[in-house]
Amino acid sequence: MSRKKIELTDKVAKLTDKYLETNDTDFNTLINKALKLYLLDHLSSSQIKDALKKTDDFTSEYAGKWFQESIEDLNKY
């Protein structure tokens, strides 16, 4: 799994701390879920499929399944 360093603004850090206090999740889970939803909203389906196809961790069959599940997750909101 890739490691990235992020820096939160003061306001985002305070909101994040409050969210983590009130929900049973950790920082990495929160960031991954939020970033995934943001990216799915801002990339086209072909861009998503292309990005997942280029990674070593995904086969094309799994990427298609993951993409469909991600779309279903978005429809819940």
Side-chain angles (χ1 to χ4, degrees):
M1 191 177 314
S2 174
R3 296 184 62 79
K4 303 282 183 184
K5 179 182 176 192
I6 65 168
E7 294 183 26
L8 303 177
T9 63
D10 288 340
K11 287 182 182 180
V12 172
K14 288 177 185 178
L15 291 170
T16 300
D17 290 343
K18 185 62 174 179
Y19 182 87
L20 295 175
E21 281 178 24
T22 59
N23 293 279
D24 187 28
T25 191
D26 64 27
F27 182 73
N28 289 329
T29 301
L30 171 64
I31 294 302
N32 280 293
K33 185 173 185 177
L35 190 54
K36 175 184 168 184
L37 291 174
Y38 179 87
L39 294 172
L40 289 173
D41 189 45
H42 287 81
L43 293 172
S44 69
S45 60
S46 61
Q47 289 173 315
I48 293 168
K49 287 178 184 178
D50 184 51
L52 294 178
K53 184 171 55 174
K54 291 180 181 177
T55 65
D56 293 336
D57 296 339
F58 291 98
T59 64
S60 59
E61 179 181 337
Y62 182 76
K65 181 180 177 185
W66 183 83
F67 178 72
Q68 183 60 40
E69 290 173 355
S70 297
I71 295 299
E72 291 169 4
D73 286 346
L74 285 175
N75 290 333
K76 292 178 185 177
Y77 294 100

